[in-house]
Amino acid sequence: NAGVMQNPRHLVRRRGQEARLRCSPMKGHSHVYWYRQLPEEGLKFMVYLQKENIIDESGMPKERFSAEFPKEGPSILRIQQVVRGDSAAYFCASSPGTTYSPLHFGNGTRLTVT
Amino acid sequence: DQQVKQNSPSLSVQEGRISILNCDYTNSMFDYFLWYKKYPAEGPTFLISISSIKDKNEDGRFTVFLNKSAKHLSLHIVPSQPGDSAVYFCAAVLQGGSEKLVFGKGTKLTVNP
């Protein structure tokens, strides 16, 4: 499967714990985007990364959230000290970076905070 | 601030008929538009796109129309099939920007056999 791979598919955390979401982009794609979908809402942009660089994090909450895309390995979205309001579906997308190339999405990680 | 609006949360059509999904936007700096289709428990999949220099783009049963003066686009599916039942998201890209997509809230399409 050469698509965008996200894991885990489902993640349950208690309030105050940390959540780590992983994303491996499509082969040949060097641009990664993270989106969050709350119930009954559209997808909201969080952060755009290229290898070892954060390009645009304008959609990231200022506290507790961080993202990285290291030289080797998957992109990681990290949420510290989770709260119930963090419960959502988190989608990763990748692209080759050519102008107006459509983003390809993974199947998401559904985070539930209890 | 909802820059991309899909005002119909749901739409139901009969198999074989036309489905028309609508999308409005407020930011005149958007210059590229996309439609994504999403099944439950899956990620969105790209369907069709249109650049602001065009007013129509067609791909098989799917046609997207863009009316820049009205800041409105629509997706036509003809003929509709039960397998088209999904949530459809309209998305827009800012001129000169990255591929960062601004999404609408989606319209749930149900195609009845």
Side-chain angles (χ1 to χ4, degrees):
Chain A
N1 185 350
V4 178
M5 301 301 293
Q6 290 189 248
N7 65 82
R9 288 297 310 273
H10 300 275
L11 183 61
V12 180
R13 285 287 179 264
R14 292 200 194 95
R15 278 180 298 170
Q17 290 185 318
E18 179 180 287
R20 279 184 181 241
L21 289 64
R22 294 175 191 78
C23 169
S24 295
M26 282 182 71
K27 190 174 181 181
H29 287 190
S30 58
H31 296 223
V32 166
Y33 299 75
W34 286 93
Y35 285 80
R36 176 166 67 174
Q37 185 181 24
L38 295 169
E40 310 302 322
E41 295 285 324
L43 284 78
K44 297 277 199 256
F45 168 79
M46 299 183 74
V47 62
Y48 162 37
L49 310 104
Q50 295 177 21
K51 284 284 186 183
E52 300 185 279
N53 284 305
I54 297 174
I55 307 302
D56 182 347
E57 56 182 348
S58 58
M60 286 276 270
K62 295 285 183 261
E63 297 177 351
R64 303 187 296 107
F65 285 72
S66 62
E68 62 176 8
F69 189 16
K71 189 176 179 181
E72 302 290 338
S75 175
I76 306 285
L77 179 67
R78 183 181 176 207
I79 311 172
Q80 295 178 289
Q81 299 173 331
V82 296
V83 301
R84 288 223 171 101
D86 297 333
S87 295
Y90 292 82
F91 291 96
C92 170
S94 72
S95 83
T98 51
T99 304
Y100 299 142
S101 50
L103 300 188
H104 296 262
F105 284 84
N107 283 330
T109 293
R110 186 162 300 278
L111 172 66
T112 302
V113 180
T114 61
Chain B
D1 177 26
Q2 194 72 18
Q3 296 187 74
V4 177
K5 300 177 185 178
Q6 294 178 256
N7 292 320
S8 298
S10 62
L11 175 68
S12 185
V13 300
Q14 284 300 122
E15 182 178 5
R17 299 289 191 113
I18 185 171
S19 295
I20 300 176
L21 297 100
N22 293 304
C23 178
D24 297 291
Y25 61 96
T26 57
N27 192 336
S28 57
M29 297 301 288
F30 287 138
D31 72 343
Y32 189 65
F33 303 90
L34 307 91
W35 285 93
Y36 279 81
K37 175 180 175 179
K38 186 181 181 303
Y39 293 117
E42 293 185 11
T45 54
F46 169 70
L47 202 54
I48 192 169
S49 61
I50 188 167
S51 164
S52 60
I53 62 173
K54 294 186 173 182
D55 55 16
K56 177 183 174 181
N57 189 24
E58 194 171 351
D59 184 2
R61 296 187 297 116
F62 302 91
T63 304
V64 56
F65 295 92
L66 175 62
N67 182 334
K68 280 181 64 178
S69 60
K71 295 193 180 69
H72 176 83
L73 64 156
S74 60
L75 174 68
H76 292 210
I77 307 173
V78 181
S80 303
Q81 299 173 354
D84 296 329
S85 297
V87 178
Y88 288 78
F89 290 98
C90 172
V93 178
L94 282 170
Q95 181 181 35
S98 67
E99 301 140 315
K100 181 170 81 176
L101 299 174
V102 179
F103 281 90
K105 290 189 177 185
T107 296
K108 183 176 182 180
L109 173 66
T110 302
V111 180
N112 301 303

